[in-house]
Amino acid sequence: MARRDEPMTALDGERLTELIMRLLLDGGLRERLAAEGAAAVAADEGELECLDTIDLEELDAAARRFRSTIWRLGTGGSLATAFPHSLRLFAAAGVGDAELLDGFLASPRFGRFRLVPYAGAGVSVEEAFAGFLLDLAGTRPGDVAFLRETVTHELMVALFTALACEQPLSFVIESGGIVETGRGHAGLRRYAPEALASWGESAAGGGPVPYAYFATPAGVTRGVVSERVAAAFAATPSADSRAAREALSRRGLW
């Protein structure tokens, strides 16, 4: 994005990274920079020195590439493939992919994701995006339990795919309810039968159904489980929980 070969030494690495991210994410800032000049938007002399070297056309192109890069991250090659059912539900409610990406990039949730390696530890892009979707779901009218369960399920699939394939992880996991086992990790969630049916899963009964996820060196195993198996996840040890874990261990899942 530099227009001439001038050193950008006035800002340290952290402040320079912050300025670059603001330029990439804030379309209004880029418009002001183009219309009013660097002096109108710079916070201090250090920023002025950097902003005065910016090629505006190259900056706009870089911002477009950045948006495309973020969208292409995630399980399966993009956020769209990591959250297909969730995005269809939002689309049906009138919120398209471009609007979701705009909201995500402008949200505090995006700040929890660390794209630049030396910027510190952060959550995966899937967990950051799921957090944004869950926040957005909370602002929608009516019953959003179905939507929240769908986002949660697709996040769990993404996290367990990483847990099975990527060790050590390049990110931290903030979602609770994931436990370490002798062979990897396991997690349990409960979903409405209607939600499960929409994902192509079958489950009987009218109440929340236990659904387990397991990550082992052999890969990811997931699906509806019985209450007997769900006992393995009990916080307080008991004869039932020990029996369930032993049974799962014999199957190579715990």
Side-chain angles (χ1 to χ4, degrees):
M1 294 183 289
R3 188 173 56 214
R4 56 180 181 268
D5 295 331
E6 296 182 2
M8 296 185 183
T9 57
L11 298 182
D12 60 25
E14 183 176 351
R15 289 198 60 209
L16 181 58
T17 298
E18 180 184 349
L19 176 60
I20 292 172
M21 292 301 292
R22 280 165 44 208
L23 288 167
L24 292 174
L25 296 173
D26 191 340
L29 176 61
R30 295 195 300 275
E31 290 175 3
R32 285 191 61 206
L33 177 62
E36 303 173 33
V41 299
D44 53 38
E45 289 298 323
E47 287 195 1
L48 179 59
E49 179 184 348
C50 295
L51 291 170
D52 199 36
T53 68
I54 296 294
D55 182 298
L56 297 176
E57 290 186 0
E58 193 172 330
L59 174 61
D60 284 339
R64 291 193 297 272
R65 289 195 299 269
F66 181 80
R67 286 172 54 87
S68 178
T69 296
I70 296 300
W71 193 249
R72 289 199 304 271
L73 297 175
T75 304
S78 74
L79 291 174
T81 53
F83 295 91
H85 299 293
S86 300
L87 296 189
R88 280 197 289 271
L89 290 174
F90 276 105
V95 185
D97 292 356
E99 186 177 350
L100 289 175
L101 181 58
D102 286 341
F104 175 48
L105 294 177
S107 73
R109 293 288 186 174
F110 181 71
R112 295 294 303 125
F113 166 58
R114 298 290 188 269
L115 179 64
V116 182
Y118 58 78
V123 301
S124 66
V125 66
E126 293 95 342
E127 188 163 11
F129 188 60
F132 164 72
L133 294 181
L134 292 172
D135 291 342
L136 184 60
T139 69
R140 310 298 297 178
D143 185 3
V144 296
F146 183 91
L147 176 55
R148 295 180 67 86
E149 289 186 353
T150 300
V151 173
T152 298
H153 170 63
E154 292 184 326
L155 170 60
M156 291 290 282
V157 172
L159 291 177
F160 273 80
T161 299
L163 286 167
C165 301
E166 183 184 340
Q167 292 297 330
L169 291 178
S170 60
F171 54 86
V172 298
I173 295 178
E174 295 185 344
S175 297
I178 298 176
V179 299
E180 289 191 39
T181 68
R183 288 183 171 86
H185 294 79
L188 183 77
R189 294 290 187 272
R190 292 179 181 272
Y191 302 120
E194 296 80 8
L196 289 163
S198 74
W199 313 328
E201 307 271 0
S202 59
V209 177
Y211 192 103
Y213 306 81
F214 302 94
T216 70
V220 177
T221 301
R222 59 185 176 88
V224 173
V225 297
S226 66
E227 291 294 347
R228 180 176 296 180
V229 172
F233 296 87
T236 303
S238 66
D240 288 341
S241 67
R242 286 190 291 271
R245 293 183 181 188
E246 289 172 1
L248 288 169
S249 180
R250 289 193 294 271
R251 295 171 56 190
L253 297 175
W254 197 278

